Amino acid sequence: MSRKNFIKGAAILGIAGLLAKILGFFYRIPIVNILGDVGNGYLMQSFQVYNILLALSTSGLNVAIAKLVSEKRAMGSNRGAHRVFEVSLMMLAAGGAISAIIVYLGADAIVRIGGNSNAYYSMVALIPALFFVPIMSSFRGYFQGRQNMTPTAVSQVVEQFIRVIIGLWLAYILVDSGIDIASGGASFGSSAGAIVGTMSIVFIYMINRKKIKKEFKQDTIKHIESKKTIMKRIMNIAIPLSIGAIVVPSMTFIDIAIITKRIQLIGYTEQQATGFVGQIGMANTIINVAMIFSVSLAMSLVPIVSEYNAKNNYNNIKRITKSGIRMALLIGLPAALGISILSTDIIKLLYYSRSIEVKESAGGILEILAFTVLFLTLVQSLTAILQGLGKVLIPIKNLAIGAIIKIVLTYILIVMPGIGIKGAAISTVSAYLVAAILDFIAVKKYTATEFEIKNIFVKPLVSVSIMSVTVWVFHKYIFTFIDPRVNTLLSVCVGVLTYGIALIITGSITATDFSLLPGGNKIAANLKKVGILR
């Protein structure tokens, strides 16, 4: 795959991913305003189980498919590439069917283990998605292996669009029937999205089928591996990735179960406990939006580091490593501190229909949880560097260590007077902090990079400190006489502007840093022309 094609493909997927994130944001906010924190708690529990089963049945497999399809085509075996797709489709359909059957037969037991029997409807509503998403994933992997990212992008956007429309509509019309049933309606939006998304990518495949069949005549290699051999090769690639993919949803599911049960020990009801879980979900929605740019950064790091590693170009690996970590800090620091400073006001702005008690509680959670953005951004970038070096299992192990620490801390802190539900936020921040430290140690070891404290750490800290003080002053004193919602929006704008100026003044960002972002080279060239960038 040429560098030009890779950049084009990455851009297509990046734009589709951004649209999907935006659509997801405009789904989660009104859903909470319709269902409340309790209904959101039902959704959180069911979706963690869904994510675990989906990770087991799909995560890693689509990557393996893309890799093997690309490899076969490069060797001149288009028929062999299609055989990989056929085998993977069979495997993923079987995995999806098994996952769907598990939930169909065990939904009641699963939600009880999670500590909330009222999440039953939102759980069973995801059964169709568990079957169709793996099938869609096999088609995505095949097209990606053919260097065609458009079908994946189209199916992603279609899937999310249908999920938003159907999910919101069903939640709205069913809310009078009970929050648990309405949550099931909202949850079914994901199944509807999966069905239509699968139909869209199958339709694209059928359009291209004649072209695919014609390519078989161009094969220079006639030998085709057996299905058994292909299955082994797929699993060898997919298993480590799947193990890594289930760490976070498993950690969250256990966390929710601990919160739901432990918080009742200090006098709360099951419904109140579910409400607290929903409030964590309210805060997590904002965290996820803040992570959009960090995901793009991590995606760009893997191929660049992989390329230099293949060429044994260690000097450039060190340069990119420094730049990647600095960019992670430049993205994560302002997002974390900005969200923390404006936490309760952001909650009030977005979740306007909730009671003042719920908004204050969720704001307190977000104030702490905001620092997850910083450490998770670092984890993503450091993981990308390690993956580029071929050290795939190291970040998985480090994240698993963080997950264990989170579970232990949640269990202890959640019942401590004066901490309560905030203990879950503290444990999450601690988990990603530990994972980030361990990943940093590994990156330093395998890249032998020497980090300049001033450029990588001090300058970003100075820039974000200037931003934080400015935002605090404007929000608390200068904008205090206008509408609180307008105050919050203007404070965010002031923060963005101030931070941009501070970065330029301190020289915190360089042309190399821009190269890690989509279209960054053009932006850097223009900034250099006007004398803004050094």
Side-chain angles (χ1 to χ4, degrees), residues 402-464:
I404 293 169
I405 289 172
K406 173 174 170 54
I407 291 168
V408 172
L409 284 178
T410 299
Y411 188 86
I412 295 170
L413 296 176
I414 203 80
V415 294
M416 290 183 66
I419 298 180
I421 193 61
K422 291 182 181 179
I426 294 170
S427 67
T428 300
V429 174
S430 301
Y432 287 115
L433 169 61
V434 169
I437 291 171
L438 294 174
D439 284 349
F440 180 80
I441 292 170
V443 165
K444 195 172 188 306
K445 174 183 176 182
Y446 290 107
T447 64
T449 303
E450 295 296 328
F451 297 96
E452 299 91 0
I453 301 298
K454 179 182 177 182
N455 289 329
I456 295 180
F457 300 105
V458 175
K459 286 183 178 180
L461 279 171
V462 170
S463 299
V464 82

Side-chain angles (χ1 to χ4, degrees), residues 31 41 60 103 140 158 167 198 223 226 410 461 478:
I31 276 293
V103 172
R140 287 175 176 175
V158 168
T198 301
H223 172 71
S226 67
T410 299
L461 279 171
I478 297 178

Side-chain angles (χ1 to χ4, degrees), residues 253-265:
F253 177 71
I254 295 170
D255 198 46
I256 290 172
I258 291 172
I259 292 167
T260 305
K261 292 177 180 178
R262 294 283 286 173
I263 203 76
Q264 293 180 57
L265 295 179

Side-chain angles (χ1 to χ4, degrees), residues 58-69:
T58 64
S59 292
L61 283 168
N62 58 341
V63 175
I65 298 161
K67 178 178 172 59
L68 293 179
V69 167

Side-chain angles (χ1 to χ4, degrees), residues 50 54 96-97 99-101 103-104 121-136 159 184 187-196 198:
Y50 170 73
L54 210 58
S99 296
I101 291 169
V103 172
Y104 178 76
Y121 292 110
S122 58
M123 179 72 69
V124 295
L126 290 169
I127 290 174
L130 285 167
F131 178 69
F132 282 98
V133 170
I135 293 173
M136 180 165 49
E159 177 190 7
S187 191
F188 184 77
S190 295
S191 289
I195 293 168
V196 179
T198 301

Side-chain angles (χ1 to χ4, degrees), residues 329-529:
L329 288 169
L330 292 175
I331 293 170
L333 270 171
L337 287 171
I339 292 171
S340 184
I341 291 169
L342 300 173
S343 56
T344 301
D345 296 283
I346 292 172
I347 292 290
K348 289 178 179 178
L349 173 69
L350 297 175
Y351 302 107
Y352 53 86
S353 69
R354 300 299 91 211
S355 67
I356 188 63
E357 292 82 5
V358 168
K359 286 185 280 193
E360 292 285 349
S361 178
I365 293 169
L366 182 59
E367 184 178 7
I368 298 167
L369 202 62
F371 291 95
T372 302
V373 177
L374 170 59
F375 301 124
L376 185 50
T377 299
L378 281 169
V379 166
Q380 288 176 338
S381 296
L382 292 165
T383 296
I385 294 168
L386 290 168
Q387 287 175 340
L389 294 171
K391 309 295 182 181
V392 179
L393 293 178
I394 290 174
I396 294 174
K397 180 191 71 175
N398 293 342
L399 192 57
I401 292 170
I404 293 169
I405 289 172
K406 173 174 170 54
I407 291 168
V408 172
L409 284 178
T410 299
Y411 188 86
I412 295 170
L413 296 176
I414 203 80
V415 294
M416 290 183 66
I419 298 180
I421 193 61
K422 291 182 181 179
I426 294 170
S427 67
T428 300
V429 174
S430 301
Y432 287 115
L433 169 61
V434 169
I437 291 171
L438 294 174
D439 284 349
F440 180 80
I441 292 170
V443 165
K444 195 172 188 306
K445 174 183 176 182
Y446 290 107
T447 64
T449 303
E450 295 296 328
F451 297 96
E452 299 91 0
I453 301 298
K454 179 182 177 182
N455 289 329
I456 295 180
F457 300 105
V458 175
K459 286 183 178 180
L461 279 171
V462 170
S463 299
V464 82
S465 296
I466 294 170
M467 180 210 77
S468 299
V469 171
T470 305
V471 168
W472 184 80
V473 170
F474 270 81
H475 185 63
K476 292 294 182 182
Y477 298 102
I478 297 178
F479 294 151
T480 190
F481 299 107
I482 60 179
D483 184 272
R485 291 169 294 184
V486 178
N487 182 342
T488 301
L489 290 172
L490 288 177
S491 296
V492 171
C493 294
V494 167
V496 172
L497 181 62
T498 305
Y499 186 61
I501 295 170
L503 288 178
I504 295 167
I505 292 173
T506 60
S508 297
I509 195 164
T510 67
T512 301
D513 300 329
F514 273 101
S515 71
L516 299 178
L517 299 174
N521 288 325
K522 289 184 179 179
I523 297 172
N526 291 328
L527 291 177
K528 278 185 175 180
K529 284 181 182 178

Side-chain angles (χ1 to χ4, degrees), residues 22-91:
I22 292 170
L23 285 170
F25 177 74
F26 286 106
Y27 168 78
R28 297 300 304 179
I29 299 301
I31 276 293
V32 174
N33 285 316
I34 293 170
L35 302 179
D37 53 325
V38 174
N40 196 41
Y42 299 156
L43 288 178
M44 273 199 70
Q45 180 176 319
S46 58
F47 269 97
Q48 296 317 312
V49 176
Y50 170 73
N51 289 335
I52 292 169
L53 292 172
L54 210 58
L56 287 170
S57 61
T58 64
S59 292
L61 283 168
N62 58 341
V63 175
I65 298 161
K67 178 178 172 59
L68 293 179
V69 167
S70 179
E71 178 185 296
K72 292 290 184 184
R73 285 171 59 82
M75 292 168 59
S77 180
N78 292 297
R79 189 182 294 274
H82 198 265
R83 171 66 67 87
V84 170
F85 164 63
E86 291 172 342
V87 172
S88 68
L89 178 59
M90 176 186 67
M91 292 173 65

